[in-house]
Amino acid sequence: MPDSPSAPLRVLFCIGVNQNFFDLPTGQGKAVWDGFMTMLTRLRELPGVTVLGTMDDDQHMVGPSGSWPWTSYLLADVVDQPTVAAACNLFRTVQVGEHGLWRYMQIEARIGRPLPEPEATR
């Protein structure tokens, strides 16, 4: 299946929670959650982003995740690499109190393309 120049990029956004979040006093994590929800809303609103699905593993993973396995994932079709970069940049621009969201969470984008759909068996 040839790639079309206008085909969107398939992007897996991998999101980790940093130790700074776990160092917060009990009850102060809600501000980070609110910042995270703001980031998700803004990411979904970026022109050229179609969110295909999300997954959160916070029930089976406790503690920081600085690399794989990540705490949560967001799969999206994205129009181009600058839009992928703009999505990642939300971690710098969304504020949690006096800090950017990146103080408490991190993001990594994996960019590829969809696999071809297998033919239906008869």
Side-chain angles (χ1 to χ4, degrees):
M1 178 177 182
D3 291 340
S4 162
S6 61
L9 303 170
R10 180 65 47 96
V11 181
L12 181 64
F13 293 99
C14 307
I15 301 166
V17 179
N18 297 332
Q19 183 63 45
N20 287 335
F21 174 80
F22 295 99
D23 290 341
L24 288 170
T26 301
Q28 290 188 11
K30 183 174 181 330
V32 177
W33 177 252
D34 292 344
F36 181 69
M37 294 308 293
T38 296
M39 182 281 305
L40 282 178
T41 299
R42 290 183 186 171
L43 190 148
R44 287 178 180 270
E45 292 173 346
L46 282 172
V49 173
T50 302
V51 174
L52 303 173
T54 61
M55 187 188 94
D56 188 10
D57 194 21
D58 69 332
Q59 291 183 338
H60 303 104
M61 176 182 204
V62 178
S65 56
S67 65
W68 188 90
W70 298 94
T71 306
S72 59
Y73 302 86
L74 185 142
L75 183 65
D77 280 341
V78 182
V79 67
D80 55 22
Q81 188 281 328
T83 304
V84 175
C88 292
N89 195 52
L90 291 170
F91 279 71
R92 292 183 184 100
T93 60
V94 170
Q95 288 295 115
V96 176
E98 62 186 36
H99 302 288
L101 181 60
W102 64 268
R103 179 179 179 92
Y104 304 103
M105 306 180 92
Q106 62 190 62
I107 189 167
E108 177 181 304
R110 302 288 307 187
I111 301 173
R113 61 179 183 247
L115 290 169
E117 294 291 327
E119 292 184 29
T121 56
R122 296 178 197 241

